[in-house]
């Protein structure tokens, strides 16, 4: 059992070999040693912590969505947008990466393996030669949030509506999830006092 299995969460899919989880409760670490982490329903988590891959807790989800949207901004289509909304998204990108990505117990080997995974041609859009692995991660998950997790998208609606003028496209497609009908085991939820496994967002 991994650390994330000690509290309620839903399984969303995978980015390469790393499962993507959404915590359903606020968890303050302090019970399980070095492989634990704190999180809340405002976070996404890659890896489940102790007993699984060390976790990467993702904060400030608006930064990921901003990264995905701004990748598609050109000098030409920027003229269609409100300067205030462009500034809002640009300011998101000015945050320190440590405010967004919290590596909980990762080793150098874990980091190297993650870069190797991002480079894999099994992805629709692998890591590019002049791209940082963090930028690749931001755009991959930002697209996922934009299209599939509107309830977790903290970007204001007026900003999202404005950017629809430039025709946002799906350019990453790196997150994979099991189609309906597949057996699920990841994710847990307590229902009427009973622990239920297989809490997958799209297979309920």
């Amino acid at each position: 059992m991994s650390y994330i299995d000690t509290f309620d969460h839903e399984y969303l899919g995978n980015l390469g070999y790393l499962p993507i989880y959404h915590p359903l409760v606020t968890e303050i670490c302090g019970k399980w040693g070095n492989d634990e982490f704190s999180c809340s329903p405002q976070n996404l988590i890659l890896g489940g912590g102790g007993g699984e891959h060390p976790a990467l807790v993702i904060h400030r989800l608006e930064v990921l969505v901003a990264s995905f949207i701004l990748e598609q901004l050109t000098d030409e289509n920027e003229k269609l947008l409100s300067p205030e909304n462009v500034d809002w998204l640009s300011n998101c990108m000015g945050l320190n990466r440590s405010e967004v990505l919290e590596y909980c117990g990762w080793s150098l080997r874990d980091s190297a393996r993650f870069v190797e995974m991002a480079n894999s041609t099994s992805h629709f859009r692998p890591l590019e030669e002049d791209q940082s692995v963090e930028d690749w991660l931001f755009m991959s998950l930002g697209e996922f949030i934009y299209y599939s997790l509107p309830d977790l998208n903290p970007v204001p609606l007026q900003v999202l509506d404005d950017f629809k003028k430039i025709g946002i496209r799906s350019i990453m497609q790196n997150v994979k999830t099991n189609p309906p009908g597949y057996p699920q085991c990841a994710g847990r939820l307590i229902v009427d006092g009973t622990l239920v496994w297989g809490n997958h967002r799209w297979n309920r």
Side-chain angles (χ1 to χ4, degrees), residues 168-187:
I168 300 298
R169 297 175 294 111
S170 174
I171 57 174
M172 300 301 290
Q173 300 182 38
N174 289 333
V175 172
K176 305 294 185 274
T177 188
N178 290 343
Y182 271 69
Q184 300 296 334
C185 58

Side-chain angles (χ1 to χ4, degrees), residues 66-81:
S67 180
F68 164 66
I69 293 175
L70 290 173
E71 174 71 7
Q72 306 187 48
L73 192 62
T74 65
D75 291 340
E76 188 61 32
N77 62 24
E78 185 175 346
K79 298 172 185 175
L80 302 172
L81 305 171

Side-chain angles (χ1 to χ4, degrees), residues 13 19 25 79 94 102 106 110 116 131 136 150 169 181 188 196 201:
V25 295
K79 298 172 185 175
E102 182 183 357
W106 281 51
D110 294 322
E116 182 180 355
Q131 185 181 37
W136 177 84
R169 297 175 294 111
R188 65 157 262 183
V196 178
R201 175 172 279 226

Side-chain angles (χ1 to χ4, degrees), residues 6 10 14 26 40 55 59 73 124 138 142 157 171-172 191:
T6 65
E10 57 183 350
N14 275 65
T26 297
S40 78
H59 307 271
L73 192 62
F124 182 83
F138 280 18
L157 284 177
I171 57 174
M172 300 301 290
V191 180

Side-chain angles (χ1 to χ4, degrees), residues 45-194:
I45 301 168
L46 295 182
E52 198 182 303
H53 190 282
L56 171 56
V57 180
I58 302 171
H59 307 271
R60 305 298 299 267
L61 302 185
E62 69 272 18
V63 176
L64 281 63
V65 179
S67 180
F68 164 66
I69 293 175
L70 290 173
E71 174 71 7
Q72 306 187 48
L73 192 62
T74 65
D75 291 340
E76 188 61 32
N77 62 24
E78 185 175 346
K79 298 172 185 175
L80 302 172
L81 305 171
S82 160
E84 294 79 12
N85 291 336
V86 175
D87 288 345
W88 190 92
L89 286 178
S90 297
N91 289 337
C92 286
M93 301 309 299
L95 288 175
N96 191 303
R97 295 289 169 92
S98 64
E99 295 181 59
V100 182
L101 302 176
E102 182 183 357
Y103 296 89
C104 303
W106 281 51
S107 67
L108 287 175
R109 179 176 294 177
D110 294 322
S111 298
R113 186 175 174 222
F114 185 73
V115 173
E116 182 180 355
M117 179 272 287
N119 274 298
S120 171
T121 55
S122 65
H123 294 297
F124 182 83
R125 186 170 174 183
L127 181 67
E128 297 173 0
E129 189 173 328
D130 60 346
Q131 185 181 37
S132 74
V133 71
E134 288 87 1
D135 285 342
W136 177 84
L137 174 64
F138 280 18
M139 287 196 295
S140 295
L141 291 182
E143 177 183 79
F144 181 49
I145 296 165
Y146 179 84
Y147 283 113
S148 299
L149 303 171
D151 56 312
L152 300 181
N153 188 350
V155 177
L157 284 177
Q158 67 268 21
V159 178
L160 293 173
D161 286 343
D162 197 25
F163 271 79
K164 287 177 182 175
K165 297 174 186 174
I166 68 171
I168 300 298
R169 297 175 294 111
S170 174
I171 57 174
M172 300 301 290
Q173 300 182 38
N174 289 333
V175 172
K176 305 294 185 274
T177 188
N178 290 343
Y182 271 69
Q184 300 296 334
C185 58
R188 65 157 262 183
L189 190 65
I190 294 178
V191 180
D192 297 328
T194 302

